[in-house]
Amino acid sequence: QVQLVESGGGLVQAGGSLKLSCTASGSIFRIHKMGWYRQAPGKQREFIADITSGGSTNYRDSVKGRFTISGDNTKNAVYLRMDNLIPEDTAVYYCNADVTRTGWRTPYNYWGQGTQVTVSS
């Protein structure tokens, strides 16, 4: 089994910052990619950013210049630094990873439990 655990969510004022963390654990052979998604009430879950084990990153347009994704391969961790937060960023933020488990042939996609981010105006 593979587990993803997020932390760092909370309540901040508009213009403030938060840093989210996610660590993966379990029977991991290789992590190919880790990323962040979010889901606001009444909306679909949407992609935020991801990063490969080689360091390549992708961001959705609405967070470019404000959010920064980074990773630490030695810790099986991914981080999301969020600056200049706006109320529209309010959502549950989920960690996601493509992981090949030890002894298995193909990778699987895993999700964390989510962490709430609330931005007040």
Side-chain angles (χ1 to χ4, degrees), residues 29-45:
F29 176 72
R30 180 172 295 177
I31 299 178
H32 308 276
K33 182 184 296 184
M34 298 186 77
W36 293 94
Y37 293 70
R38 67 186 181 188
Q39 188 166 22
K43 300 185 68 176
Q44 290 187 307
R45 189 170 299 186

Side-chain angles (χ1 to χ4, degrees), residues 47-51 57-70 80-81:
F47 169 81
I48 300 300
D50 61 19
I51 184 169
T57 60
N58 290 289
Y59 297 89
R60 72 177 296 112
D61 287 344
S62 63
V63 306
K64 288 180 179 177
R66 299 191 298 122
F67 292 9
T68 303
I69 190 169
S70 60
L80 186 69
R81 190 186 76 196

Side-chain angles (χ1 to χ4, degrees), residues 85-99:
L85 286 161
I86 58 177
E88 289 75 18
D89 294 320
T90 296
V92 177
Y93 284 68
Y94 295 91
C95 181
N96 178 265
D98 290 333
V99 180

Side-chain angles (χ1 to χ4, degrees), residues 2-4 6 37 45 94-97 109-113:
V2 173
Q3 298 85 37
L4 303 177
E6 305 99 330
Y37 293 70
R45 189 170 299 186
Y94 295 91
C95 181
N96 178 265
N109 191 252
Y110 296 88
W111 292 94
Q113 82 289 345

